[in-house]
Amino acid sequence: MDAARKLLGERSVAEISLRELAAEVGLAKSNVLRYFGSREAVFLDVLDEEWAAWNDRLDAALPAETPPEQVAAILADSLADAPLLCELTSVMIAVLERNVSLDYARDFKRRIMEHSARATQLIRRAVPALSEEDAGQFVTIMLIAVAGLWPCAQPNEVLATVQAELGLPGGPEFFRGTLRDMLLTQLRGLTL
Amino acid sequence: MDAARKLLGERSVAEISLRELAAEVGLAKSNVLRYFGSREAVFLDVLDEEWAAWNDRLDAALPAETPPEQVAAILADSLADAPLLCELTSVMIAVLERNVSLDYARDFKRRIMEHSARATQLIRRAVPALSEEDAGQFVTIMLIAVAGLWPCAQPNEVLATVQAELGLPGGPEFFRGTLRDMLLTQLRGLTL
C-alpha cells in the first residue's frame, strides 16, 4: 500500500501500470495479481484507507451543532486538503470498480458503506436538524460532487491557459470554492 | 460526426480508437488528425452538438414560471434521456480536454460557455427568483453532478450484482432520481 501511495503522489491513477506497481512493491506482476487480485484493487484499498482517515480528521474538525456556513467550509477544506482521496473517488466508479472480482467488489462496497454511514453520523452531529435520510443523501451528493469536480482542480497547461485567457474559473481554488458553495446550498435546501 | 455518433451508440468513449473512428469515417488516420486535430476533438464536437440540441429541447419543455419540483424533474428527465450528452460530459474534463490543441480548446470553451449561458437564461425564465449569478452557479453544479453521477448509471455486471445483493441504489433510475433530488434541493437552497 505504501508503494502505491508513493506512485500516486507522483502521477495519476491512469498513468501507473501494473508493471510499475509491481516493481515498486518488489514483487513479480503475477504475485501482485495473486495477492491483490488486480491493479485496481490495490488503488481501491488505498481509497478505503483514505476515507477512514478522512472520517477521523472530520470527527476532530467538525464540532457538534455547527452553523451551516462553517460545516460547508470545513467539509470543502478537508476534501481539498485530501487530493489522493479526491482523485481516487473521481475514478472509483468509472474506472477502478470496473476491474475487480465479484468477491472484492462485495467486500469493498461494504467497507465504503461503513465509511459513508460514519460520515453521515458526523454530519448529523454537526447539523441535528438533518434527518438520517437527508444526511445520507447529503453524503452521497458530496461524493458525487467530489467525483465530478476533481478533474476541474487539475487543469493541464492548455486548459489552464484557456481558463486564464477567458477569465474562467478553474484549479484548486475553484474546486474548494464550488464545493463549499454547493454543500452550503444543499444544507440550506435540506434544512428548510 | 455521424460516424462518431454511430460508434458512440455502441461503445463508450474509452473503447473507441482513432483507428476505428478513421475506418468508420472512411479516411486514413492521418487525414482524421489533419481535419479534426485529434480523436478527442471529434468527440468534443459531438458534445457541442449534443448541448445545443439539449438546450433546444429544454426551451420547448421548460415553461416560464414553473414550480421548483417540476423544474428539477424536467431537467433530470431531459438529461437522463440524453445518454450521449451525459457520457461525453462525464469524460469531458478528465479525459477529452486533455488531448486537444490550444486553438481547439479555446474555441471549444467559447462554444460551451454559450451553451451554458443559454441554459442559464432558460432556467431563469422558469425560476425568476434566481439571480443571474445563482442561475449560472446552478448550471455549473448541474454539469458537475452529471459528470459525477453518470458512471453510477452504467454499472457493469459485477457492480450490478453487488448493488442488488446489498440493496444499494444504482443504474439509470438512481441517476435520474438522485439528480432530480439534488437539483430540487439546490433550487430550494438558492431561492430561500
Side-chain angles (χ1 to χ4, degrees), chain A:
Chain A
M1 220 68 79
D2 287 345
R5 285 176 177 280
K6 177 167 178 290
L7 291 172
L8 286 165
E10 296 158 2
R11 269 166 303 152
S12 72
V13 169
E15 291 165 337
I16 303 169
S17 66
L18 175 61
R19 179 198 304 270
E20 289 169 294
L21 200 53
E24 189 70 36
V25 188
L27 287 174
K29 283 203 295 184
S30 57
N31 282 333
V32 172
L33 292 180
R34 188 179 315 148
Y35 297 141
F36 294 99
S38 67
R39 165 185 169 279
E40 286 77 6
V42 179
F43 294 133
L44 289 174
D45 281 349
V46 175
L47 173 56
D48 176 34
E49 289 181 351
E50 285 286 309
W51 269 114
W54 182 79
N55 272 340
D56 288 343
R57 292 197 298 275
L58 194 62
D59 196 355
L62 190 63
E65 306 196 28
T66 307
E69 291 76 10
Q70 208 181 324
V71 174
I74 290 169
L75 289 170
D77 285 346
S78 69
L79 288 162
D81 293 341
L84 185 50
L85 172 62
C86 294
E87 175 170 354
L88 290 169
T89 298
S90 81
V91 291
M92 176 178 78
I93 298 175
V95 181
L96 297 179
E97 286 188 353
R98 309 270 157 173
N99 193 19
V100 295
S101 68
L102 181 57
D103 281 346
Y104 183 89
R106 197 181 272 135
D107 178 60
F108 176 73
K109 277 286 178 202
R110 286 213 185 92
R111 288 184 275 158
I112 289 296
M113 282 167 77
E114 282 169 26
H115 297 322
S116 216
R118 185 165 172 224
T120 301
Q121 294 319 315
L122 293 173
I123 284 160
R124 283 199 80 195
R125 185 181 73 185
V127 189
L130 280 181
S131 68
E132 177 87 26
E133 190 188 339
D134 284 347
Q137 194 200 326
F138 179 81
V139 169
T140 299
I141 284 167
M142 182 180 70
L143 296 180
I144 287 163
V146 167
L149 257 175
W150 182 248
C152 309
Q154 311 289 314
N156 63 6
E157 207 183 315
V158 163
L159 281 178
T161 304
V162 173
Q163 283 167 351
E165 280 180 9
L166 301 179
L168 288 174
E173 285 317 304
F174 175 71
F175 175 82
R176 189 189 301 261
T178 307
L179 192 59
R180 187 192 57 225
D181 293 348
M182 185 265 188
L183 293 176
L184 177 56
T185 305
Q186 284 290 313
L187 282 175
R188 285 184 170 148
L190 288 170
T191 54
L192 276 185

Side-chain angles (χ1 to χ4, degrees), chain B residues 43-191:
Chain B
F43 295 133
L44 288 175
D45 281 350
V46 174
L47 173 55
D48 175 34
E49 289 181 352
E50 285 288 307
W51 269 114
W54 181 80
N55 272 339
D56 288 343
R57 293 196 298 276
L58 194 64
D59 195 356
L62 190 63
E65 305 195 32
T66 307
E69 291 77 9
Q70 209 180 325
V71 174
I74 289 169
L75 289 170
D77 286 345
S78 69
L79 288 163
D81 293 341
L84 185 51
L85 172 61
C86 294
E87 176 171 352
L88 291 169
T89 299
S90 81
V91 291
M92 177 177 78
I93 297 174
V95 180
L96 296 179
E97 287 188 350
R98 309 270 155 173
N99 193 18
V100 294
S101 68
L102 181 58
D103 280 346
Y104 184 89
R106 194 182 275 137
D107 177 60
F108 176 73
K109 277 287 179 203
R110 287 215 183 91
R111 288 184 276 158
I112 289 296
M113 282 167 78
E114 281 170 27
H115 297 323
S116 218
R118 186 167 170 220
T120 301
Q121 293 318 314
L122 292 172
I123 284 160
R124 285 199 79 196
R125 185 181 73 185
V127 190
L130 280 180
S131 68
E132 177 88 25
E133 189 188 343
D134 285 347
Q137 194 200 326
F138 179 81
V139 169
T140 299
I141 283 166
M142 181 179 70
L143 296 180
I144 287 162
V146 167
L149 256 175
W150 182 247
C152 308
Q154 312 288 316
N156 63 4
E157 209 182 313
V158 163
L159 280 178
T161 304
V162 173
Q163 283 167 351
E165 279 180 10
L166 301 179
L168 289 175
E173 286 316 306
F174 175 71
F175 175 82
R176 190 189 301 261
T178 307
L179 191 59
R180 188 192 55 226
D181 294 349
M182 182 266 187
L183 293 176
L184 177 56
T185 304
Q186 204 69 24
L187 282 174
R188 284 184 171 147
L190 287 171
T191 53

